[in-house]
Every structure is written in C-alpha cells, then in structure tokens.
Amino acid sequence: MVNKRTLPHIVQIVGYKNTGKSTLTAELTRYLSSEGLRVAVIKHDGHDHFQMDHEGTDSFRFNQAGATAVIVMSEKRTAIIEQQPTSLETMLTRLSDYDWILIEGYKAAPYPKLVMIREEQHVAILQKLKGVMAVVSWFPRESLQSSCSEPDPLSEVVWHSVQETEFIVRWLLKHVNKG
C-alpha cells in the first residue's frame, strides 16, 4: 500500500500587537507535537528586528565576513541564516514535509486564520481579513454590544476563549482542511 502524503495543514495566527499570538502559537505547537505531529512555525517580523546570530559565534563571524548564507548543522538540528528576503510561499514549499505549519502574522496571506482579539475595539480587524475561521478572544462574544439593526456579521464566526487552548487544538484537528 502506498502512503499518500497530504499537504501540511496551514493555519495563521493573526491579531494586533500584544494579543497573545506567540503564546497561542507555542501552545498550539505543544499540543500538536504531543500528538506526534511534525509542526513548523513561521513568525513574521514586520520590523526586521530579530537577530538569530550573536557576536562571538563562528556563524556570526562568517556572516560578518560576507557570507550570503550560513548553515549550522549538528546531529539533531539545522539552522539556515540567509541574507536575503524569502517569500512566504517559498518558505511554505520548503516546509512541505511537515504535518502542520503555523504562521504567526502575515495578515494579508490567504490561509485559514485564527484571529486574536484582546479588546472589544479590535473586533473591527475581522472586516479587514480574509479566511477567518475563528476568533480567539480574551472576552466572551456576548459582551459585545451590537449597535446596528442589521444581522450581526460575527454570528457566523466561531469564537474561542484564549483560556481554552486544548479545546482549540481539538477543534483545529477536526475542522482544518476537511472538505
């Protein structure tokens, strides 16, 4: 019997700054990994602040000497640091052997999204995004005051509590890329 390889399940975790995106991403990764699934995480750094290499390491010296790419490999890990932009699509192709790819950020990308909402005024972000599959919120949906007489656009959006990470993972395993 041939083992049919499926594409990775891709889910974005998006929201405004300080809404818990990294915490949720780490928790989702922990739960999915505990199920024996291979998880890759891509984090968008919109301000180009991150520094993976540090002064005093050989890889830092190679980078400073002008290497366009520095690869550090051991028996259990591989790190690739490239001095070039990489598109999200290119990175997703590189990670195609994983079971799940969690993307923190990249709001405009066209993948299913969990939207983190910490404050009621942040609900407006939902109207700007495509592919919203669920909200992960710090407050219950029922606390929102509907100010219009038209049908509530949020009524179709699944609403999860930020406190229910294990439930969110079970929901994802059941709903993502099904159908």
Side-chain angles (χ1 to χ4, degrees):
M1 181 175 186
V2 176
N3 183 9
K4 184 181 175 192
R5 176 75 186 140
T6 60
L7 295 175
H9 300 289
I10 300 171
V11 174
Q12 292 179 254
I13 296 87
V14 301
Y16 293 117
K17 187 175 180 170
N18 296 320
T19 55
K21 295 182 303 290
S22 294
T23 300
L24 180 64
T25 301
E27 287 299 309
L28 294 176
T29 301
R30 185 176 347 278
Y31 280 110
L32 291 168
S33 296
S34 74
E35 294 291 319
L37 300 167
R38 294 185 62 220
V39 181
V41 176
I42 298 172
K43 179 175 175 67
H44 182 242
D45 177 12
H47 305 289
D48 198 24
H49 287 120
F50 83 95
Q51 180 66 40
M52 289 195 53
D53 229 357
H54 301 282
E55 194 168 346
T57 63
D58 290 339
S59 53
F60 182 85
R61 286 181 41 222
F62 302 150
N63 183 309
Q64 293 298 305
T68 305
V70 176
I71 296 93
V72 180
M73 299 175 11
S74 72
E75 189 175 307
K76 297 181 181 183
R77 296 191 299 174
T78 301
I80 301 172
I81 304 168
E82 295 178 316
Q83 300 299 320
Q84 65 181 19
T86 302
S87 73
L88 179 59
E89 295 305 319
T90 298
M91 191 53 60
L92 291 172
T93 300
R94 285 186 184 181
L95 300 172
S96 64
D97 287 339
Y98 287 82
D99 299 309
W100 283 80
I101 301 174
L102 302 178
I103 303 170
E104 184 183 325
Y106 288 98
K107 288 181 187 110
Y111 302 101
K113 292 172 181 60
L114 294 177
V115 182
M116 302 290 300
I117 297 181
R118 189 173 193 120
E119 300 175 22
E120 291 186 17
Q121 65 265 28
H122 292 167
V123 170
I125 192 175
L126 296 173
Q127 296 174 351
K128 300 175 187 174
L129 300 174
K130 291 187 171 130
V132 174
M133 60 188 297
V135 166
V136 179
S137 178
W138 291 79
F139 55 88
R141 178 190 343 223
E142 297 75 35
S143 71
L144 292 173
Q145 301 297 322
S146 179
S147 60
C148 61
S149 59
E150 297 177 23
D152 181 6
L154 298 178
S155 65
E156 300 297 315
V157 176
V158 175
W159 201 275
H160 296 292
S161 167
V162 73
Q163 305 298 323
E164 299 174 333
T165 308
E166 190 170 349
F167 178 80
I168 295 168
V169 171
R170 287 196 308 268
W171 182 85
L172 282 174
L173 288 168
K174 186 175 180 181
H175 289 91
V176 171
N177 296 346
K178 303 284 187 207

